[in-house]
Amino acid sequence: MRSFERLVLKRLKDITDTLTLQFAYRANGSADDAATPAPPRDHPFIDDHGLNVFVVVLIAFLQVLSPDELLKAQEAVAFGCIKYADLSHNRINDYVFSFDKMLDDRGNTAAYLLYAFTRIRSIARLANLNEAILRKAAETTEILLDHDKEWKLGKCILRFPEILQKILDDLLLHTLCDYLYELATTFTEFYDSCYCVEKDRQTGEVIKINMWRMLLCEATAVIMAKGFDILGINPVQRM
């Protein structure tokens, strides 16, 4: 592991440790509790709007992730941030190094895309749908695309071959990065407007699954996974 990659991992660990302390401090609700000292307000990795979402997710799901899964998620984000920051930049333009931008959870970054990917994968788990069920549904389910956001996502998905041909022609991988970011944000618009899985508010049981929308989710996840593979980024299924 190169020294810069170690530095990114160390920064992630520092943020994680600080968040753990911060959450424990807030849970106790008292600054006088000697067992839980207050986190430093001037910590170099804490800003005014809060800490990076992907690290918050790692901490929030500590009870769900095993230590091995947590390590894989940390490494996926750390290495992915480095690679994506370089590849998302147009190589014929001047390069501006920014450590903060690499780890930012907002905008066209690996942190945002990796979190978006795990979020999409979690939808199928919520509906108790495995790959075999989705493959069978793809052969029999009619894709209706009634909603405007369904159309927008569907058209974005269909552009993937065009993007691949473009990067084969000009060898500019930032085009693929821009596309993956557009796909992720378009999916967010779709998911916010169109229900995929309906659950009972009292029991939490799944009462209705919109299968053609689940297939749109699966298609989005498959394309993102292939895009990550081309860029040399290893996503995780859980985060």
Side-chain angles (χ1 to χ4, degrees):
M1 188 184 300
R2 291 175 292 180
S3 58
F4 184 68
E5 292 169 345
R6 291 194 189 96
L7 181 60
V8 175
L9 280 174
K10 182 180 184 301
R11 178 161 185 171
L12 285 172
K13 185 178 185 301
D14 288 341
I15 297 173
T16 304
D17 291 344
T18 301
L19 266 176
T20 305
L21 180 62
Q22 190 176 59
F23 288 167
Y25 173 70
R26 290 175 181 174
N28 288 333
S30 173
D32 298 328
D33 190 343
T36 311
R41 295 185 179 275
D42 59 346
H43 192 284
F45 304 134
I46 299 178
D47 57 21
D48 292 336
H49 74 270
L51 291 161
N52 292 334
V53 168
F54 65 90
V55 181
V56 175
V57 171
L58 292 180
I59 295 297
F61 285 85
L62 274 175
Q63 295 180 339
V64 177
L65 297 179
S66 67
D68 183 59
E69 288 174 326
L70 181 60
L71 179 60
K72 287 181 179 179
Q74 287 177 319
E75 290 184 346
V77 172
F79 299 148
C81 285
I82 298 169
K83 293 179 180 179
Y84 194 85
D86 285 343
L87 296 175
S88 62
H89 180 77
N90 189 334
R91 59 181 171 80
I92 65 176
N93 295 336
D94 292 337
Y95 183 83
V96 178
F97 176 82
S98 174
F99 204 178
D100 291 333
K101 186 176 181 180
M102 279 186 182
L103 296 177
D104 198 349
D105 64 283
R106 300 166 299 178
N108 190 6
T109 65
Y112 173 79
L113 291 178
L114 287 168
Y115 174 70
F117 177 78
T118 57
R119 181 190 182 199
I120 296 171
R121 283 302 191 197
S122 70
I123 300 171
R125 290 198 299 270
L126 175 67
N128 296 316
L129 298 176
N130 57 34
E131 184 177 352
I133 295 174
L134 289 170
R135 285 184 179 275
K136 185 176 180 180
E139 299 174 355
T140 58
T141 303
E142 182 182 4
I143 307 297
L144 299 179
L145 301 183
D146 292 329
H147 197 281
D148 288 345
K149 299 302 182 182
E150 292 175 328
W151 271 107
K152 185 176 180 180
L153 178 60
K155 288 188 289 185
C156 190
I157 289 171
L158 291 175
R159 286 177 45 222
F160 187 50
E162 170 192 333
I163 298 298
L164 293 182
Q165 186 59 55
K166 187 177 187 307
I167 63 175
L168 282 172
D169 293 339
D170 59 24
L171 304 180
L172 296 175
L173 284 173
H174 74 276
T175 302
L176 176 59
C177 297
D178 291 341
Y179 169 76
L180 291 177
Y181 177 62
E182 179 185 351
L183 181 63
T185 55
T186 301
F187 177 85
T188 298
E189 293 178 12
F190 155 78
Y191 191 66
D192 289 344
S193 302
C194 306
Y195 81 86
C196 297
V197 182
E198 187 175 347
K199 299 178 68 176
D200 187 285
R201 294 185 177 181
Q202 294 182 343
T203 64
E205 294 183 0
V206 175
I207 58 178
K208 186 177 181 179
I209 298 175
N210 190 316
M211 190 56 75
W212 80 76
R213 288 176 179 169
M214 291 302 304
L215 292 175
L216 285 176
C217 295
E218 178 65 11
T220 303
V222 168
I223 289 176
M224 291 188 71
K226 179 55 66 176
F228 289 145
D229 183 54
I230 294 172
L231 297 173
I233 294 174
N234 296 319
V236 290
Q237 301 296 318
R238 300 166 70 91
M239 185 181 288

